Amino acid sequence: MAEIGDRTTKAEEGGEKISGGHLVAKALKNEGIDTIFTLCGGHIIDIYDGCLDEGIKIVDVRHEQVAAHAADGYARVTGTPGCAVVTAGPGTTDAITGIANAFRAESPMLLIGGQGALSQHKMGSLQDLPHVDILRPITKFAATVPATERIADMISMAFRECYHGAPGPSYLEIPRDILDATVDVRKARLPQPGRYRASIKSLGDPADIEALADILGHAKKPCVLLGTQVWTCRGTDAAINFVKTLNIPAFMNGAGRGTLPPGDPHHFQQTRRYAFDKADVIVIVGTPFDFRMGYGRRLREDATVVQIDIDYRTIGKNRDISLGLVGDVGAILGAVTQAVSGRVNRGTNERKPWMEELRAEEDRLQSDRMARLTSDAQPIHPLRLCYEINEFLREDSVYIGDGGDIVTFSGGVVQPKSPGHWMDPGPLGTLGVGVPFAIACKLAQPQKEVVCLFGDGAFTLTGWDFETMVRFNLPFVGIVGNNSAWNQIRFGQLAKYGRERGEIGNKLGDVAFDQFATMLGGYGEEVRDPHDIQPALQRARASGKPSLINVWIDPEAYAPGTMNQTMYR
Ligand SMILES: Cc1ncc(C[n+]2csc(CCOP(=O)(O)OP(=O)(O)O)c2C)c(N)n1
Ligand SMILES: [Mg+2]
């Protein structure tokens, strides 16, 4: 009888044999992957068998979109690429939203998909679709594995491509007969760990490092925006050193949030527009001039604008710049800081008035909104909910935002306390990332707390995988800002079409998400009085279970960002 455990077998003619699924698992392990996210299908089961042998954890979810988002999230949290494995046809099309999200968010991951047998190519096999053609525009690499011997080789290729410029997803389709076949181990190319791709920590042009050191040394009113790539490149320490050595006020966005903790003298949040309007030098690090930046139009016209990015295609896009540097943003910031020492650096003393000016404005804006943040109104004002969540967060709490208006509100209020502790979908604006990100986050770092704020609409897109969190024992604090509507869209419709015609296609039922949580074996509570928010959150934390606190919020309150609707412009 064949032994379960190691399915590589000695064939009678001598050579050791290995099946395609086991080659997949070996290649994943060589890349440092310890977990795959998947939903089963007959086309891919040999991969599971290989994962058992290699000790790779199999996290089986209820929808392939969740598998793909979780792989994206896992990559963001761990710094190694994520991996989702899905079956052919609908399994693959279900995963597409997750791949698209990772593509726009510059998140490295591999999607492995099943396909009908090569021997039945284009004959109409079950679940056959042109997956590679479908995936190509939203991946950095998409290909079919043509032979079992090439499986591990092509996986290494796919990972290499994930790191071409800004990171992103790759896709590999493995036909069923190619995956299930066994081949002579000696004939299969099996790239060895650490030997099939190189470091991409490039510094760019050394002359540009000197030029930037010069610009910054002489700047009177500089500011810096630390974007997502600061975290992607794990450039946090370099960024902090840069900001402190040069005494530059810093704003943070995306995964760059938390680079500096709230309360740090260089941490600014409310005054970004003010600073972009007044600064003489603006350094944009690892974030594109897209809709979140008003396509670069909100920067003072005559300011010296410097852009640092891993992707050459982002530099100077939508707005002319004074200087661009392409490379690893952490490495570049480190080099610039070093280049500044021994040069003119107005930082320490001469920028004091500029820092004070910004701080005074920051304090003024904060006190202006304090009344709304602490409002006792019922129904609960969304700002009050966000305020309470911010108070609730600990240093180790990873905050995930998944929703429309309620998450826009939270963007101005919730401040992660440490680097890498903020997760949002990124520029694709995908609703439904919350549960999959929470799964990935808690699996990757069980010692940390995960706090996720959902819109009531967003939660339902992937909410059934709350059950996966129960099944895998992944406690987290979930909060649903429940306004029984797709409110961010509803606002725009009401503004455009009025009350009578504006409430079409955007209202939802009053769903008891707390009961949904308890039904699935989690912890649930509902909250109507603002004073009950904090105690309910504390009880959710203490429950040690996946939880949903269903907070009924005012459907007639809208975030300023929603009212400006800049995301569509
Ligand atoms: C997958 C997906 N579908 C649709 C949208 C468009 N959209 C953006 S915000 C929004 C409303 C979100 O509603 P909810 O999650 O309840 O949050 P709320 O705005 O009510 O606070 C919608 C439908 C989107 N961004 N992503
Ligand atoms: Mg809603």
Side-chain angles (χ1 to χ4, degrees), residues 403-406 429-431 455-458 461 483 485-489:
D405 195 55
I406 185 62
T430 315
L431 300 177
D456 60 309
L461 289 173
N483 48 26
W486 305 98
N487 229 24
Q488 189 151 59
I489 307 305

